């Protein structure tokens, strides 16, 4: 009996151990399955989470990737500034070499601005409808080709034609601005756009320096050839230019946009947010666009008609209920900025001889050597640097609108003493001070304009506004400066002051401040389209509409 008892206890003990091990095996198996399920659920949650393009840009940050972009865009800005500044130097030399009349000399400048009027809208249309890269390539080809060939012009007619074609290429300056803007994170957009604007000033200073060195010894052909180097560099390095991820998202090409953002994050040694990149699409009330989806598979001829119709619809968006006021105010602002900026530059030459009464535009030529003329232009170009520094200091602190209002006011005050004849030094101080702050407003306006327009019409809108600005630069010498030449200095200054006041009022009437705001992708809300959450299905349906 005792043996049986011991035998039963042993069996009971073994059964207990067996069941205990079996219990832990089952618990371990279930724990593994649950953990695996949790990991899968977590991964699925990460995959279903989403982030916007602006959130991606903030995560990527501003680093080496954008550093290359600002250098490339800066080449375009430098090329534009040099080709515009060169007009002040080659005219007299060409006139003397080919025995031209004053009207023929003026035509060399006029055709460049006329070409810029055409190019400003044309390149905006190309960039908004065919991509930023194709727009930049076309601009680089036209600008560099016309600039180089101009140096070998055999006669006056060929020079005028080539300068006009070069002007068309120069009209693409706003495209560089819009392209670079679309890579910059919202929190640091203001300061970096001001830094980008300094490339224009670098171009003006560099061209004045080259003219000082080259013109007295080698002539205008060598100046034209050397001044084309930035445009040629933009063409050579074009292959390294990425497409704008914002443009790609607008077209529904989120994979391509993600690849570019991934490359940017690797170069900047940062990480993209986890999840799926949303493709923000434009919602537009224009019923003419509703038929686009239904005609994608039609004949090529029909598709060309649809493309043409879409291009007019893109232009018409600028005059939609939400953008009409902004568009007209921007036109007035760009016109006033160009009129004031180029006018002050010309007035600096008109009033710089110390006489200040009935001076002529040929003042410096008459009263000094060619070397002195180029030296003086070089020195006056340096006046823009303090204005850019001031603009960069305030643009992300008090906002775009308040920055322009403040600098318009200071520029207005600096011009007031010139309502009467002043000493040479005081005149130069007033003009330099006014130029400092007008270039500041010019710079901030070129930041505000691409920020306020939606992605699909950004390049077109900024391009047309720039075209209107060119008109201001063209008529300024014909109206304001001629008043000074005819002994009406007070009338000329009053005209400039009125233009500055009206420009400041336009800034006050702008409906939105864009400082640190996400770039708009919808026409319905041109400032902050991210305030409402849009789910993935809705985004996909919007994409199908387009």
């Amino acid at each position: 009996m005792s043996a049986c008892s011991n035998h039963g206890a042993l069996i009971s003990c073994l059964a207990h151990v067996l069941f205990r091990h079996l219990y832990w095996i089952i618990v371990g198996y279930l724990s593994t399955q649950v953990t695996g399920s949790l990991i899968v659920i977590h991964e699925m949650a990460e995959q279903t989470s989403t982030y916007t393009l602006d959130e991606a840009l903030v995560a990527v940050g501003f680093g080496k990737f954008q550093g290359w972009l600002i250098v490339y865009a800066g080449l375009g800005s430098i090329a534009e500034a040099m080709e515009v500044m060169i007009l002040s130097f080659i005219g007299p030399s060409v006139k003397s070499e080919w025995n031209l009349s004053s009207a023929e000399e003026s035509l060399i400048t006029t055709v460049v601005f006329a070409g810029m009027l055409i190019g400003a809208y044309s390149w905006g249309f190309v960039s908004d409808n065919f991509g930023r890269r194709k727009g930049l390539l076309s601009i680089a080809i036209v600008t560099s080709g016309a600039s180089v060939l101009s140096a070998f012009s055999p006669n006056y007619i060929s020079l005028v034609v080539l300068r006009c074609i070069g002007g068309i290429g120069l009209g693409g300056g706003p495209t560089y601005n819009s392209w670079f803007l679309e890579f910059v994170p919202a929190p640091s957009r203001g300061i970096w756009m001001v830094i980008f604007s300094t490339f224009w000033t670098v171009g003006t200073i560099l061209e004045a320096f080259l003219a000082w060195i080259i013109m007295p010894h080698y002539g205008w052909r060598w100046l034209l050839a050397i001044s084309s180097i930035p445009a040629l560099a933009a063409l050579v390095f074009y292959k390294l230019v990425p497409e704008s991820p914002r443009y790609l998202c607008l077209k529904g090409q989120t994979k391509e946009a993600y690849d570019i953002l991934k490359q940017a994050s690797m170069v900047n040694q940062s990480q993209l947010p986890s999840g799926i990149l949303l493709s923000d699409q434009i919602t537009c009330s224009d019923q003419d666009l509703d038929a686009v989806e239904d005609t994608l598979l039609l004949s090529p001829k029909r598709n060309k008609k649809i493309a043409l119709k879409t291009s007019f619809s893109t232009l018409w968006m600028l005059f939609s209920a939400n953008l009409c006021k902004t568009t007209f105010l921007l036109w007035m602002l760009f016109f006033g900025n160009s009129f004031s900026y180029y006018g002050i530059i010309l007035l600096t030459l008109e009033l710089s001889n110390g006489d200040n009464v009935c001076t002529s535009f040929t003042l410096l030529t008459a009263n000094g050597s060619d070397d002195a003329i180029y030296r003086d232009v070089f020195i006056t170009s340096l006046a823009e640097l303090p204005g850019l520094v001031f603009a960069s200091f305030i643009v992300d602190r008090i906002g775009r609108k308040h920055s322009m209002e403040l600098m318009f006011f200071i520029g207005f005050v600096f011009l007031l003493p010139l309502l009467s004849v002043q000493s040479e030094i005081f005149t130069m101080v007033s003009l330099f001070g006014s130029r400092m702050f007008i270039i500041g407003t010019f710079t901030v306006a070129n930041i505000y304009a691409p920020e306020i327009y939606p992605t699909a019409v950004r390049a077109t809108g900024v391009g047309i506004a720039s075209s209107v600005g060119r008109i201001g630069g063209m008529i300024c010498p014909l109206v304001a400066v001629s008043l000074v030449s005819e002994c009406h200095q007070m009338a000329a200054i009053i005209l400039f002051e009125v233009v500055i006041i009206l420009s400041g009022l336009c800034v006050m009437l702008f409906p939105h401040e864009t400082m640190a705001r996400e770039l708009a992708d919808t026409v319905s809300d041109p400032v902050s389209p991210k305030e409402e959450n849009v789910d993935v299905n809705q985004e996909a349906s919007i994409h199908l509409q387009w």
Side-chain angles (χ1 to χ4, degrees):
M1 190 71 180
S2 175
C4 291
S5 177
N6 291 335
H7 182 68
L10 179 61
I11 293 174
S12 176
C13 182
L14 289 174
H16 176 74
V17 172
L18 180 62
F19 280 112
R20 183 177 181 183
H21 281 286
L22 183 61
Y23 168 79
W24 285 114
I25 289 172
I26 294 174
V27 169
Y29 174 78
L30 293 176
S31 298
T32 302
Q33 295 299 314
V34 171
T35 303
S37 299
L38 291 175
I39 292 174
V40 171
I41 293 172
H42 179 69
E43 290 177 351
M44 291 177 62
E46 285 189 342
Q47 291 177 356
T48 55
S49 63
T50 60
Y51 59 91
T52 65
L53 180 60
D54 289 285
E55 291 170 345
L57 290 174
V58 171
V60 169
F62 195 101
K64 294 180 180 179
F65 185 82
Q66 286 88 349
W68 152 246
L69 301 183
I70 196 173
V71 169
Y72 184 83
L75 280 175
S77 184
I78 289 175
E80 181 184 5
M82 292 179 69
E83 292 295 331
V84 171
M85 280 291 293
I86 205 173
L87 302 175
S88 304
F89 305 120
I90 66 172
S93 297
V94 172
K95 178 182 179 181
S96 175
E97 180 176 332
W98 288 340
N99 298 318
L100 304 178
S101 65
S102 297
E104 290 174 325
E105 178 189 359
S106 300
L107 184 61
I108 299 175
T109 299
T110 303
V111 295
V112 174
F113 281 100
M116 294 175 76
L117 288 175
I118 299 171
Y121 170 70
S122 301
W123 300 128
F125 165 76
V126 171
S127 298
D128 282 338
N129 290 277
F130 302 101
R132 310 304 195 225
R133 289 190 84 242
K134 291 182 179 178
L136 294 176
L137 175 61
S138 303
I139 293 167
I141 291 174
V142 173
T143 305
S144 60
S147 299
V148 172
L149 292 176
S150 295
F152 301 95
S153 300
N155 52 52
Y156 172 74
I157 298 298
S158 62
L159 178 63
V160 169
V161 172
L162 288 171
R163 295 312 296 167
C164 181
I165 296 174
I168 294 175
L170 296 176
T175 303
Y176 286 98
N177 189 14
S178 299
W179 172 74
F180 174 67
L181 175 76
E182 293 174 347
F183 286 92
V184 182
S188 57
R189 199 163 54 220
I191 180 64
W192 282 109
M193 292 307 295
V194 172
I195 292 174
F196 167 73
S197 299
T198 61
F199 283 94
W200 170 276
T201 299
V202 170
T204 60
I205 295 173
L206 180 59
E207 186 62 34
F209 178 75
L210 288 175
W212 185 10
I213 301 299
I214 295 173
M215 285 294 291
H217 307 289
Y218 303 103
W220 61 274
R221 293 183 184 274
W222 275 100
L223 183 62
L224 278 173
I226 295 176
S227 298
S228 67
I229 291 177
L232 286 171
L235 180 60
V236 169
F237 293 108
Y238 164 76
K239 288 187 177 181
L240 302 177
V241 173
E243 181 57 89
S244 164
R246 189 173 294 276
Y247 173 82
L248 292 173
C249 282
L250 179 69
K251 299 301 181 181
Q253 302 176 25
T254 51
K255 182 182 183 304
E256 291 80 358
Y258 174 81
D259 291 340
I260 293 174
L261 292 171
K262 186 67 176 178
Q263 179 187 2
S265 66
M266 293 175 61
V267 174
N268 291 352
Q269 298 182 349
S270 56
Q271 289 186 346
L272 289 172
S274 59
I276 300 173
L277 174 64
L278 284 181
S279 177
D280 298 321
Q281 306 296 330
I282 279 198
T283 54
C284 180
S285 59
D286 191 342
Q287 297 178 355
D288 291 337
L289 296 178
D290 293 339
V292 171
E293 177 194 0
D294 299 329
T295 56
L296 290 177
L297 301 179
L298 298 179
S299 64
K301 291 183 178 180
R302 183 68 180 277
N303 281 334
K304 289 181 179 179
K305 292 181 180 179
I306 293 297
L308 182 61
K309 187 176 182 180
T310 303
S311 67
F312 282 109
S313 298
T314 300
L315 179 61
W316 187 249
M317 287 185 206
L318 298 176
F319 306 100
S320 64
N322 289 315
L323 294 178
C324 184
K325 177 181 177 181
T326 299
T327 295
F328 284 111
L329 288 175
L330 276 176
W331 289 2
M332 296 177 66
L333 173 62
F334 272 70
F335 180 92
N337 258 328
S338 295
F339 190 92
S340 304
Y341 173 73
Y342 291 112
I344 290 172
I345 292 175
L346 295 175
L347 282 177
T348 303
L349 297 175
E350 290 282 345
L351 303 176
S352 62
N353 70 329
D355 186 9
N356 294 336
V357 180
C358 295
T359 60
S360 66
F361 187 70
T362 57
L363 162 70
L364 294 177
T365 305
N367 294 342
S369 64
D370 289 343
D371 185 73
I373 296 172
Y374 302 133
R375 182 197 62 216
D376 291 343
V377 174
F378 172 73
I379 294 174
T380 56
S381 299
L382 297 175
E384 296 182 9
L385 293 176
L388 292 174
V389 172
F390 183 77
S392 66
F393 180 77
I394 66 174
V395 68
D396 276 333
R397 288 177 170 81
I398 65 175
R400 283 45 162 161
K401 292 180 60 177
H402 292 325
S403 296
M404 287 187 283
E405 292 163 358
L406 176 61
M407 289 186 287
F408 269 129
F409 175 75
I410 298 176
F412 173 87
V413 171
F414 266 105
L415 274 184
L416 280 177
L418 297 183
L419 289 172
S420 59
V421 177
Q422 305 293 335
S423 66
E424 180 181 3
I425 295 178
F426 198 81
T427 297
M428 295 303 294
V429 169
S430 297
L431 289 170
F432 276 31
S434 183
R435 180 173 177 179
M436 289 178 192
F437 293 102
I438 295 301
I439 189 61
T441 62
F442 214 137
T443 299
V444 178
N446 278 285
I447 297 172
Y448 183 83
E451 287 181 333
I452 200 65
Y453 276 127
T455 300
V457 296
R458 180 170 295 122
T460 300
V462 177
I464 295 177
S466 178
S467 296
V468 176
R470 304 301 180 190
I471 296 175
M474 289 175 63
I475 70 173
C476 175
L478 303 176
V479 179
V481 177
S482 62
L483 292 175
V484 180
S485 301
E486 296 173 1
C487 305
H488 301 296
Q489 177 177 328
M490 178 181 291
I493 299 301
I494 290 175
L495 178 59
F496 279 110
E497 297 286 45
V498 170
V499 171
I500 291 174
I501 290 174
L502 292 177
S503 300
L505 290 175
C506 289
V507 174
M508 296 175 65
L509 294 175
F510 278 127
H512 301 289
E513 172 59 59
T514 61
M515 180 179 66
R517 302 296 293 269
E518 296 180 355
L519 293 181
D521 289 311
T522 62
V523 176
S524 59
D525 186 349
V527 177
S528 58
K530 314 299 181 187
E531 292 180 358
E532 296 182 2
N533 294 324
V534 181
D535 59 38
V536 179
N537 292 332
Q538 184 178 352
E539 291 290 336
S541 66
I542 296 174
H543 169 56
L544 289 177
Q545 276 189 325
W546 276 85

